[in-house]
Amino acid sequence: DEEDLDADADADGTILDHPDYAQLKHYRMQQQVLLQLRATILSEAIAKRGIPIPTIYDVQTPAGKAPPDPVDWDCAVSTPEEPKICMY
């Protein structure tokens, strides 16, 4: 339980020190990926029924049709140790 992890973390220092932290982080990442996959599958199924909703084909750019958008890589690699503000 997340409350148990928080209680244990308070006694030991930080949540990062908890012995189950890596497993919980991995589990949550898997659940996030599955959630995104389910949302993609659902949007494709809804679009096939004629309901106007963006699909993968609507949001992709065919190679060579449009130049890529510039990316602020310094902002993209923001970390807790070196936070960067990405608001323009």
Side-chain angles (χ1 to χ4, degrees):
D1 193 315
E2 191 171 335
E3 292 175 1
D4 294 336
L5 288 177
D6 290 339
D8 291 342
D10 291 339
D12 297 336
T14 69
I15 190 71
L16 300 174
D17 297 330
H18 194 279
D20 295 330
Y21 177 74
Q23 286 180 308
L24 180 61
K25 184 177 176 182
H26 180 72
Y27 171 77
R28 286 184 175 176
M29 181 61 72
Q30 284 181 326
Q31 293 303 307
Q32 184 63 35
V33 169
L34 289 173
L35 180 65
Q36 291 172 347
L37 182 59
R38 288 180 194 122
T40 302
I41 292 169
L42 180 62
S43 66
E44 295 294 322
I46 290 173
K48 284 182 182 179
R49 294 183 179 197
I51 298 172
I53 187 169
T55 65
I56 292 175
Y57 296 108
D58 295 332
V59 297
Q60 71 182 2
T61 303
K65 297 288 183 182
D69 293 331
V71 175
D72 182 358
W73 289 109
D74 288 335
C75 183
V77 293
S78 179
T79 63
E81 294 79 24
E82 295 182 31
K84 300 191 175 62
I85 298 173
C86 300
M87 303 297 287
Y88 297 104

